[in-house]
């Protein structure tokens, strides 16, 4: 107890401290005893010296430096000394107080410890008493056990005795019974004899006429031959029974064998398919695996034999091989099991260790990843689509064949076909368009001429012939209409054309529609005829591309124009 | 009189499952008199012989018209058809007399008098030309030949539960014998009563013997004091010995399956043990617990309901009126498991206590086994021999008197000493009121060999029940 030791130290030091005041007190008492009071007029010097001595003994500076200087007190020094003394005194008082508190504390501590010791002593007493009680009980119980054991032994003996009694009685009864039975038999014999001897009321049969045997045969004499025949028949029945049973068993055996074979085959196939996959652990189980493989081949051969041979040897081989395979399969399964269980335990550990939040975080992350992957896949698909829509060259085709599976290729082929079809359609439309353009240019030419003539007429004469010119315009229009109608696929086009024409004059009254406008208008025709919306968009795209190229091509068409025109003329003629 | 019946099927309470084997229209004949429950159909299934006091009446099964009427010398105690359905044996045990009647020649007669030696049992030999009479005190068995009037004796027959058994093909007879305080078995050739084999059995007190249906194995069992079943080959070799336990009461009943594949042994420990025919070891054992919690089994409980007003309010004079008017209706209900079967504790101080499996019966196709445990008299247990498990339990309101399997189909008929007939088949269970006047109480029943009709025997009456099954299943 470090606390108490320190307390002790403090106590001892305080005791030491007290010695000097005691001494001082005794000295002062001495002085007082001699003079009544400590200081008087006479002994000022002495007192001074005494005080200074005392003060220096306290380790303070003396209040006056030189004693010989006179009786004057150096007031400052005395005051300082007094102050120091008072301080010292206060400090002493404080320590005293502390000491007292400490003492109180330690006193109470001591009390408490004493109390606890008494309590513990009491407890000890009680447990001691209990212990003795328990010991007493144990002794009693042991005594009881002993008596019970004795009882048991007695009972056992009793049982044995009773059993013996029963057995002896049983044997006695058996003996008695046998005796009685013998007597009974004797009585029976006697009765039989008496009944046979008795004349009246004999056994009799009274039949009107004998009836034939059920099988129609005559009854047979008992001869040795008959006996032999009966024996023979009996054995025949037994034999036939054993035969049928053997056949049944054979059938069953054959079936079971078949099942075994099948099982073996399956096992072998499973194990052999596993082997290449499990090359990793083959290294671990190196020696045994190799050995078992050898056995495996051997077993397989033997199984082939056993299909044909039903001899003991073959059967043994078959069962042995099955057993072998089975063992291997079992070990394999066990290993798998252990793997699974270890994995599971690992998993469970990880789940235990990782809190739920991290799980969720992980989940979110994974979800995000999935989404990203999906987006990626979609983008890829789109790119693929685009690539497909643009005419594929050989390189891309080869790339595709390299990259994609057969199924994918087929799908692409299909798409390619549809695209081809679309291209054809487009080609046809282009042709139509060319024709239409030719016609249009033709019309324009006619219109230009018309306008020229009309302007000429307008210019020349401003009055009465204006009406007569109208039909010519309408005629040209109608001619255009007819030509448009010759285009079989463009059934809707004419109206649009008319509309277009009726609108266009407002802004550009006397100019024909621009080629781009015309193209756009014409593009509507295949749009209507097309069936799939997807294709429609593609078509629009292509047509726009085409529109960009239009002027260049138009030039070319102009070259053709004349020829087609002449052809048209020829056909019209 | 007809009764339309719909079986309670194990599938659902509410739906009536129509199965050919059970959902049938039943026709009941009118009631005829009989005494001593002597009523037998000829083995060929054409005739029905009944004894009324000292008269023997032979009817045509299909028309129920009387074909022949014979008058015996006294009240008949036992009646039996010969195997060829040509002769009928009537035994009058108290007079020591046996009379034989011919169906073809009504005026032919035969009378066998055992004299003062007495008669306790009489039976046909399988050829239908010999009669085996057991005399009083089992002094001897007398074999009478109807062909030659010859008589021969077999001495020392043992008085026991089942001391004589003929093999199914009628070729051999096994007879338990007791001489010099030892049990023996004699195997006779029935053709000429030649003693084929004679061997001592390892039994303390032989109680019974039974041929396997194929006639090659003879099962012999000891008295109930010792659980012991011995299996002998036809040539007298001991094939196997089986003993399930020692000291307490043993075998109570033994039955072969028709396929000779199984031997079922019922014992006083309320269990049935099934032996196989190859190793003669136990395959399985069927226990008969008081609480059934086997979820695979269906428990049919007969539920009675009284028609009309409650019995409390019924005036006294009404009860005295015709009992048939107030016959209780009953039907089967499927009990949710577990089910508690009522058990009667046997009196331990009395001999041959009412406990243990007393009746065992295999269905004709060996598929099912029906059993009855004596301390659960109201329950019949049906076991599936393929699954080797409990198939159904029929819990009746009264003690089961008798049950028998249809000779052709897996269909069990049972009676419980009341006015109802009960049928069980795998498809379901049905309870039929026998619609006769005067409270016909079915004490016993017998199937016709075709499985198309049932003979119901009351105390002094009989009634035929025809099953108009659909012909589809044939």
């Amino acid at each position: 107890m470090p606390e108490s030791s320190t307390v002790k130290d403090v106590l001892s030091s305080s005791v030491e401290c007290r010695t000097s005041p005691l001494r001082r007190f005794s000295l002062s008492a001495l002085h007082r005893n001699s003079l009544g009071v400590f200081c008087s007029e006479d002994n000022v010097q002495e007192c001074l010296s005494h005080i200074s001595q005392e003060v220096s003994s306290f380790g303070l500076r003396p209040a006056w430096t030189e004693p010989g200087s006179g009786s004057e007190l150096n007031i400052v020094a005395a005051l300082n000394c007094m102050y120091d003394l008072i301080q010292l005194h206060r400090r002493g008082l404080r320590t005293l107080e502390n000491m007292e508190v400490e003492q109180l504390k330690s006193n109470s501590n001591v009390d408490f410890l004493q109390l606890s010791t008494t309590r513990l002593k009491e407890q000890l007493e009680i447990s001691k008493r209990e212990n003795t009680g328990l010991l007493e009980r144990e002794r009693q119980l042991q005594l009881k056990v002993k008596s019970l054991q004795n009882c048991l032994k007695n009972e056992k003996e009793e049982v044995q005795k009773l059993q013996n009694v029963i057995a002896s009685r049983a044997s006695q009864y058996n003996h008695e019974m046998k005796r009685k039975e013998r007597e009974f038999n004797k009585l029976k014999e006697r009765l039989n004899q008496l009944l046979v001897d008795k004349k009246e009321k004999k056994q009799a049969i009274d039949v009107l006429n004998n009836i034939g045997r059920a099988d129609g045969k005559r009854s047979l004499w008992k001869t040795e031959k008959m006996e032999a025949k009966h024996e023979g028949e009996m054995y025949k029945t037994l034999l036939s029974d054993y035969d049928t049973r053997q056949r049944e068993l054979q059938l069953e055996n054959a079936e079971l064998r078949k099942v075994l074979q099948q099982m073996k085959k399956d096992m072998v196939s499973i194990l052999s398919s596993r082997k290449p996959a499990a090359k990793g652990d083959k290294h671990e189980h190196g020696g045994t695996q190799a050995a078992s493989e050898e056995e495996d081949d051997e077993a397989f051969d033997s199984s082939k034999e056993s299909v044909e041979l039903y001899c003991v040897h073959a059967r043994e081989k078959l069962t042995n091989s099955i057993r072998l395979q089975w063992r291997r399969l079992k070990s394999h399964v066990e290993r798998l099991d252990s793997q699974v269980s270890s994995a599971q335990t690992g998993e469970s550990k990880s789940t235990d260790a990782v809190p739920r939040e991290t799980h969720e975080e992980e989940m979110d992350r994974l979800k995000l990843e999935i989404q990203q992957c999906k987006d990626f896949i979609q983008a890829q698909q789109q790119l693929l689509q685009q690539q497909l829509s643009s005419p594929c060259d050989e390189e891309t085709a080869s790339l595709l064949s390299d990259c994609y599976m057969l199924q994918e290729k087929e799908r692409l082929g299909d798409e390619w076909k549809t695209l081809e079809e679309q291209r054809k359609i487009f080609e046809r439309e282009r042709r139509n368009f060319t024709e239409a353009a030719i016609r249009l240019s033709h019309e324009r030419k006619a219109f230009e001429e018309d306008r020229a003539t009309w302007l000429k007429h307008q210019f020349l004469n401003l009055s009465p012939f204006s009406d007569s010119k109208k039909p010519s315009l309408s005629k040209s229009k109608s001619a255009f209409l007819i030509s448009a109608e010759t285009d079989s696929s463009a059934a809707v086009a004419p109206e649009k054309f008319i509309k277009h024409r009726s609108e266009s004059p407002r802004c550009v009254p006397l100019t024909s529609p621009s080629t781009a406008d015309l193209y756009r208008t014409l593009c509507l025709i295949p749009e209507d005829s097309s069936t799939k919306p997807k294709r429609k968009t593609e078509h629009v795209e292509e047509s726009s591309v085409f529109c960009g190229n239009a002027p260049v091509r138009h030039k070319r068409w102009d070259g053709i124009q004349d020829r087609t025109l002449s052809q048209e003329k020829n056909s019209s003629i | 009189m007809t009764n339309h019946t719909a079986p309670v099927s194990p599938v659902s309470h509410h739906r009536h499952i129509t199965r050919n084997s059970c959902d049938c229209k039943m026709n009941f004949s009118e009631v005829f008199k009989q005494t001593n429950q002597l009523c037998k159909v000829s083995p060929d299934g054409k005739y029905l012989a009944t004894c009324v006091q000292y008269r023997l009446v032979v009817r045509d099964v299909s028309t129920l018209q009387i074909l022949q009427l014979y008058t015996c010398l006294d009240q008949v105690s036992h009646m039996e058809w010969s195997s060829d359905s040509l002769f009928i044996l009537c035994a009058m045990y108290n007079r020591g007399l046996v009379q034989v009647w011919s169906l073809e020649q009504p005026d032919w007669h035969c009378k066998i008098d055992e004299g003062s030696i007495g008669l306790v049992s009489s039976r046909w030999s399988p050829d239908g030309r010999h009669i085996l009479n057991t005399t009083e005190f089992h002094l001897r068995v007398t074999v009478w030949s109807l062909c030659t009037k010859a008589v021969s004796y077999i001495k020392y027959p043992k008085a026991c539960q089942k001391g004589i058994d003929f093999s199914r093909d009628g070729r051999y007879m096994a007879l338990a014998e007791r001489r010099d305080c030892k049990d023996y078995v004699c195997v006779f050739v029935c053709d000429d009563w030649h003693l084929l084999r004679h061997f001592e059995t390892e039994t303390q007190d032989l109680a019974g013997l039974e041929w396997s249906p194929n006639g090659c194995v003879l099962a012999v069992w000891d008295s109930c004091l010792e659980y012991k079943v011995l299996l002998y080959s036809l040539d007298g070799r001991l094939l196997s010995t089986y003993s399930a336990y020692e000291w307490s009461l043993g075998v109570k009943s033994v039955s072969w399956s028709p396929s000779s594949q199984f031997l079922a042994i019922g014992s006083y420990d309320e269990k049935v043990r099934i032996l196989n025919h190859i190793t003669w070891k136990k395959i399985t054992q069927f226990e008969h617990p008081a609480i059934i919690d086997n979820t695979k089994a269906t428990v049919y409980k007969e539920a009675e309901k009284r028609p009309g007003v409650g019995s409390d309010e019924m005036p006294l004079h009404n009860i005295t009126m015709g009992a048939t008017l107030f016959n209780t209706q009953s039907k089967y209900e499927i009990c949710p498991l577990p089910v508690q079967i009522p058990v009667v504790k046997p009196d331990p101080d009395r001999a041959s206590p009412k406990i243990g499996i007393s009746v065992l019966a295999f269905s004709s196709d060996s598929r099912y086994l029906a059993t009855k445990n004596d301390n659960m008299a109201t329950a019949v247990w049906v076991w599936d021999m393929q699954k080797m498990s409990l198939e159904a339990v029929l819990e009746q309101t009264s003690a089961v008197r008798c049950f028998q399997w249809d000779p052709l189909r897996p269909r069990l008929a049972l009676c419980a000493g009341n006015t109802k007939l009960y049928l069980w088949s795998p498809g379901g269970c049905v309870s039929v009121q026998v619609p006769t006047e005067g409270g016909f109480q079915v004490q016993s029943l017998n199937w016709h060999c075709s499985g198309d009709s049932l003979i119901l025997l009351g105390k002094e009456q009989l009634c035929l029940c025809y099953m108009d099954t659909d012909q589809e299943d044939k």
Side-chain angles (χ1 to χ4, degrees), chain A residues 283-344:
Chain A
H283 288 294
E284 294 167 30
H285 308 275
T288 55
Q289 197 85 8
S292 65
E293 236 171 314
E294 275 171 32
E295 281 171 52
D296 189 14
D297 296 339
E298 193 190 318
F300 208 46
D301 289 343
S302 73
S303 78
K304 274 177 198 159
E305 273 172 44
S306 68
V307 176
E308 307 301 327
L309 294 168
Y310 286 99
C311 62
V312 183
H313 186 61
R315 198 174 59 210
E316 228 165 63
K317 262 190 172 173
L318 176 65
T319 44
N320 275 344
S321 70
I322 289 275
R323 226 169 267 154
L324 195 82
Q325 298 288 343
W326 178 243
R327 224 175 294 143
R328 217 172 295 159
L329 196 69
K330 212 171 92 180
S331 67
H332 176 58
V333 169
E334 271 167 6
R335 201 164 58 232
L336 282 178
D337 263 4
S338 66
Q339 274 175 12
V340 166
S341 62
S342 66
Q344 270 178 347

Side-chain angles (χ1 to χ4, degrees), chain A residues 130-286:
Chain A
E130 265 177 18
N131 193 21
T132 49
L134 283 173
L135 277 171
E136 176 61 24
R137 248 173 79 190
E138 195 193 338
R139 200 181 57 80
Q140 279 173 2
L141 283 173
Q142 262 169 356
L143 273 177
K144 218 173 179 177
V145 164
K146 236 174 238 172
S147 71
L148 281 173
Q149 266 171 349
N150 277 336
C151 258
L152 186 70
K153 213 191 274 172
N154 287 344
E155 290 294 323
K156 267 184 186 166
E157 274 166 18
E158 189 74 22
V159 164
Q160 195 59 48
K161 215 161 71 189
L162 283 173
Q163 266 177 349
N164 286 340
V165 166
I166 287 168
S168 66
R169 279 170 83 107
S171 62
Q172 184 66 33
Y173 277 127
N174 272 340
H175 180 74
E176 287 281 308
M177 208 171 73
K178 272 185 186 163
R179 204 170 56 82
K180 289 259 165 68
E181 204 175 315
R182 261 183 224 118
E183 270 176 30
F184 178 54
N185 280 343
K186 258 184 222 161
L187 271 172
K188 267 185 175 176
E189 270 317 297
R190 184 98 181 106
L191 185 65
N192 231 346
Q193 204 58 48
L194 279 172
L195 281 165
V196 169
D197 289 348
K198 212 174 171 187
K199 291 293 168 216
E200 16 111 34
K201 257 223 143 181
K202 253 190 126 178
Q203 283 178 298
I205 181 162
D206 170 24
V207 185
L208 185 71
N209 51 338
N210 294 357
I211 51 171
R213 281 164 61 97
D215 52 8
K217 284 185 217 157
R218 289 182 58 198
S219 60
L220 299 158
W221 292 100
K222 285 191 186 180
T223 55
E224 277 183 26
K225 211 175 133 192
M226 279 304 296
E227 224 168 276
K229 201 187 135 201
H230 285 317
E231 288 280 316
E233 272 181 11
M234 181 191 77
Y235 283 121
K236 228 187 264 173
T237 0
L238 278 177
L239 260 177
S240 69
D241 177 53
Y242 281 125
D243 250 19
T244 50
R245 259 165 75 170
Q246 204 213 344
R247 234 171 287 133
E248 275 168 27
L249 284 175
Q250 235 167 23
L251 227 78
E252 204 176 314
N253 270 351
E255 244 163 62
L256 287 173
R257 201 167 278 135
K258 234 185 267 170
V259 169
L260 265 185
Q261 289 285 357
Q262 186 63 41
M263 208 165 89
K264 199 175 106 58
K265 229 183 274 171
D266 285 354
M267 276 201 270
V268 166
S269 68
I270 287 167
L271 288 170
S272 59
S273 68
R274 178 179 64 87
K275 242 155 229 162
K279 261 182 185 159
D281 49 8
K282 201 169 167 181
H283 288 294
E284 294 167 30
H285 308 275

Side-chain angles (χ1 to χ4, degrees), chain A residues 5-21 95 99:
Chain A
S5 68
T6 51
V7 167
K8 253 181 194 171
D9 285 348
V10 169
L11 276 170
S12 61
S13 65
S14 65
V15 165
E16 272 170 356
C17 283
R18 263 173 210 168
T19 50
S20 57
T95 35
M99 289 292 162

Side-chain angles (χ1 to χ4, degrees), chain B residues 51 227 314:
Chain B
C51 287
Y227 196 120
M314 213 186 290

